[in-house]
Amino acid sequence: MQMIKSLESQKGASASSAYERLKRLDRNFDFIHTECGLIRTTLDSLAHELSAQQVRLKGALDDAAARGYAVDADGSVQYPAGGENILTKEPAPGGAVRGTRYLLDARPPSLGQQPQGFTNPNPHAAVAQEIADRMVGAVAAAHEVDSRFVRALNRLKAPDGLDVTDATWADAAGDAQVVREEARDYLRDTIPEKNSSAERAAWWNGLTPEQQAELLAVYPDVLGNLDGIPSAVRDDANRDNLQMLIGKLSGQDDAKSQTQLAGMRSIDSQLWNQKPGEPPMYLLGIGDQGGGRAIVAFGNPDTSRNVSAYVPGLGTALDADFARNDVQRARDTALGARRYDPSSAAIVWLGYDAPQLPADHLADNLDVMSEDHARRGAPDYNRFMAGISATNENPDPHIVALGHSYGSLTVGQTAQLDGGIPGADDIILVGSPGTGAHHADQLNVGKDHVFVGASDHDPVTMLPNKSESNSMLGGGGAGFGAAGIPGALAGGAVGYLVGDAVSDESEIYFGTDPASNDFGANRFLVTDGPKPFIEGSGPFDAHSNYFNPLKDPDSASNIARIIAGQPGAISTEEPR
C-alpha cells in the first residue's frame, strides 16, 4: 500500500496519535495483503499441479472409453474377451483389473504392450492393466501434491492479535520462501530475468492483474530489483521486501547486518514520514548483498520528462550515513530541478559495491585506487539506465547520468561501454578523480553534453596521477617507517612534489582531469568552499557540498538546471 500522507491542516497531540494509529493500520494491511497474496499463489500453484494429474487421469479414461472398456468407481477396468486359449483354442475370457503400480514419473508403455512375464492370452488384459496403472499413478500423485500444499498453507498463519513486528515480517519472508519452493514450476520460470529491459516492460504490461499480483506476492525482491518493471510496481514490491529484510536482519547480530539494518530503518522512516511539498519517494531497489543495495527516487521516473540517476562514490554503503546524506542529495536535486521544470525526478543509485575507506593503514585498501569496482558496477548501472528509458512514458525523455567522487568513475566506465549509457542525453561529473577517459567525446554523448563541477578546494579533483601517487606512496612509506603518521604525510608530500614536477598537469589518478581544458567538457561554476584543513572541519568539506543548496548554491543550481533541460542557463567557469 502507498504511504499515508500527513495532513498539513491537522495539528496537535490527537492528530499525531491518530496519524500513528493509521500508519500502524496501514502496515498491518500491508502484511495482510502480502500473506493473502501468498495464500492465493499457493492455491493457484495447487490447482496448477493438480491440473496436470487431471489431464493424466482424463487421458487414461479416454483411452478406456475408446476401446469400450468400462471403468468402475473403484478404479477397476473391465475388458472384453479376446485372443485365444492355446490349450482349448477358445476365446480368452474378459475380466477386470485394478492398478497396482504408482507410475508417478515413469513413461507409460505403449497401449497394447504386454508387460514382461505376463501370461494372460487375452491382449485386452495388458492394455486394461496399463490404463488402470496410469489412473492409480495420477490419483497418487494428486494426493502427494495435496499433502505438500496442505503443509505449505499451514505455515501461512499470522500470530494472534496481529501485532506486526520485525519478527512478523521475518516470518513472512519465511512464508514467501515456502511458497516459492512449492510454486517454483508455476511462477519462477515465467520471470524474464535474462531479457532486455524493453522486453521485460512488454512482458509485465502483457500480464493480467491477477498474474501481476501473484508474482508480486511471491517474488517482491526479484520484481522490485528488476530493471524494466514500472517504478510504481517496483516501489510496492520493495516496500514489502524492505520489511522482510528488516525482519531478517533484526535477528542477526553481526556488524554488517546491524549496519545495513540502520540504513534500512532510516529509509523506511523516510518513506513513511515525507514532508509536505516534497516530491513523492519511490524505493526502486533494496537488498543486503555485498555492502547493500538501495535505489531511491524522488518524483516518478516513469512519468517525469527529466530524470537523473546519481551514483555515489568512495566509502558509500547501505548504512545510516547513506540514508541521511546520499538520499538527501537526491531529494535536494529533485527539489532543485522541479523549480525549473516540475516534471523532474532524481534518483540515487547504490546498485554496486563502492570501494570503502581504509580502516587502519594508508595501504590497507588499495582497491580504493583501482578501477575494479567501477568496472564491475558499470554493467549494472547500464541495465538500470536502460530500464529507466524503457519504462518512461514520455516520447523523448531527458535522461541525465550523474556521478560524484568515485561514482563519476563508475559513470565514466559505463559511458565507455558499447553504445554508451542507454538513453542518456547529458552526463554530470562532480568532485571527480577522473573517468578513465582522456576526452569528453569518449563518453558517447558528445562533449557539449558533458558537464563538470570541480571545486579548487576539493582535493579529490586534484588527485595526483599514478606517477605522482607512486612517488607519494614511496615517500610516505619511508616517512612512516621513520616517524609514524606525521612522517608519512611529510614523506608523501615530498614524493608528490617530485612526481608532479615530471608529469602532465591535466592528468589525475583516473585519466584526464574532467575539469581541465584538455578534457573538453563544460565546467560549471561551483562555490569553492573551505580550504582543506585550514578552513572547515577536515580535508573533504568542499568535496561534500556540490548538491547542498545552502553550502554550495552555485553548484546545486547548475546541476538542477542541467537536469531540468536548461543547460544554456547555467553559470560557467574557465577550465583548469
Side-chain angles (χ1 to χ4, degrees), residues 174-243:
D175 293 346
Q177 184 58 39
V178 170
V179 175
R180 286 185 188 195
E181 292 171 0
E182 299 301 340
R184 57 190 179 275
D185 295 332
Y186 176 58
L187 285 178
R188 191 67 172 89
D189 293 340
T190 67
I191 303 175
E193 293 184 72
K194 296 182 179 179
N195 292 39
S196 69
S197 293
E199 290 169 333
R200 292 170 185 165
W203 163 76
W204 180 261
N205 292 330
L207 297 176
T208 66
E210 292 75 17
Q211 290 170 323
Q212 292 175 347
E214 278 190 308
L215 288 163
L216 282 168
V218 184
Y219 296 104
D221 56 331
V222 177
L223 294 176
N225 293 283
L226 194 62
D227 301 319
I229 302 300
S231 294
V233 175
R234 292 180 70 163
D235 179 62
D236 281 343
N238 283 317
R239 286 173 187 249
D240 282 352
N241 189 36
L242 176 62
Q243 299 307 318

Side-chain angles (χ1 to χ4, degrees), residues 298 327-337 339 346 547-549 556 560:
F298 290 91
V327 171
Q328 183 62 44
R329 287 171 180 170
R331 183 184 285 109
D332 285 339
T333 300
L335 287 168
R339 279 195 289 270
F547 300 89
N548 193 313

Side-chain angles (χ1 to χ4, degrees), residues 236-562:
D236 281 343
N238 283 317
R239 286 173 187 249
D240 282 352
N241 189 36
L242 176 62
Q243 299 307 318
M244 293 183 188
L245 285 169
I246 288 174
K248 169 189 171 183
L249 297 178
S250 64
Q252 301 175 5
D253 57 5
D254 59 285
K256 174 187 170 182
S257 295
Q258 291 301 304
T259 296
Q260 292 185 357
L261 179 62
M264 290 183 187
R265 287 195 188 281
S266 178
I267 290 173
D268 182 53
S269 176
Q270 293 179 58
L271 286 167
W272 284 89
N273 296 286
Q274 283 196 254
K275 297 176 182 178
E278 286 185 353
M281 186 174 175
Y282 292 81
L283 186 58
L284 303 182
I286 194 72
D288 61 349
Q289 63 267 44
R293 301 287 186 268
I295 307 171
V296 179
F298 290 91
N300 188 334
D302 295 350
T303 59
S304 299
R305 285 190 299 271
N306 308 295
V307 182
S308 69
Y310 145 59
V311 183
L314 176 64
T316 309
L318 179 50
D319 55 18
D321 284 342
F322 168 83
R324 178 172 55 251
N325 299 326
D326 294 282
V327 171
Q328 183 62 44
R329 287 171 180 170
R331 183 184 285 109
D332 285 339
T333 300
L335 287 168
R338 288 162 79 96
R339 279 195 289 270
Y340 302 109
D341 185 346
S343 184
S344 299
I347 303 166
V348 55
W349 182 85
L350 181 61
Y352 80 124
D353 286 323
Q356 300 301 298
L357 292 167
D360 299 311
H361 303 291
L362 186 64
D364 271 355
N365 277 343
L366 293 179
D367 59 354
V368 169
M369 302 165 66
S370 165
E371 295 178 358
D372 289 348
H373 290 268
R375 287 174 176 164
R376 287 195 294 268
D380 293 322
Y381 186 62
N382 180 286
R383 284 187 289 271
F384 176 76
M385 296 298 277
I388 290 298
S389 296
T391 58
N392 193 282
E393 299 169 8
N394 293 278
D396 186 21
H398 177 232
I399 308 296
V400 179
L402 170 58
H404 173 242
S405 188
Y406 188 93
S408 68
L409 176 62
T410 304
V411 169
Q413 292 296 297
T414 309
Q416 292 174 77
L417 296 175
D418 288 344
I421 299 174
D425 298 290
D426 298 305
I427 291 175
I428 302 175
L429 310 169
V430 289
S432 177
T435 63
H438 294 291
H439 195 275
D441 276 335
Q442 292 177 259
L443 301 186
N444 283 304
V445 294
K447 65 184 182 66
D448 291 338
H449 292 273
V450 179
F451 301 87
V452 178
S455 164
D456 286 337
H457 294 167
D458 178 359
V460 174
T461 69
M462 298 180 178
L463 283 177
N465 62 40
K466 293 184 179 180
S467 172
E468 296 164 354
S469 59
N470 287 337
S471 299
M472 289 183 68
L473 286 175
F480 184 84
I485 291 177
L489 293 174
V494 172
Y496 168 73
L497 293 174
V498 172
D500 187 52
V502 296
S503 61
D504 187 340
E505 290 183 358
S506 68
E507 291 296 307
I508 54 178
Y509 199 84
F510 292 117
T512 304
D513 178 5
S516 70
N517 188 64
D518 288 349
F519 193 72
N522 301 290
R523 187 182 182 191
F524 57 82
L525 182 67
V526 304
T527 304
D528 278 334
K531 295 179 181 178
F533 294 110
I534 299 173
E535 302 168 348
S537 58
F540 298 111
D541 283 12
H543 183 64
S544 302
N545 290 346
Y546 294 104
F547 300 89
N548 193 313
L550 298 179
K551 294 183 177 180
D552 193 342
D554 292 321
S555 176
S557 175
N558 285 323
I559 291 171
R561 288 180 184 275
I562 296 166

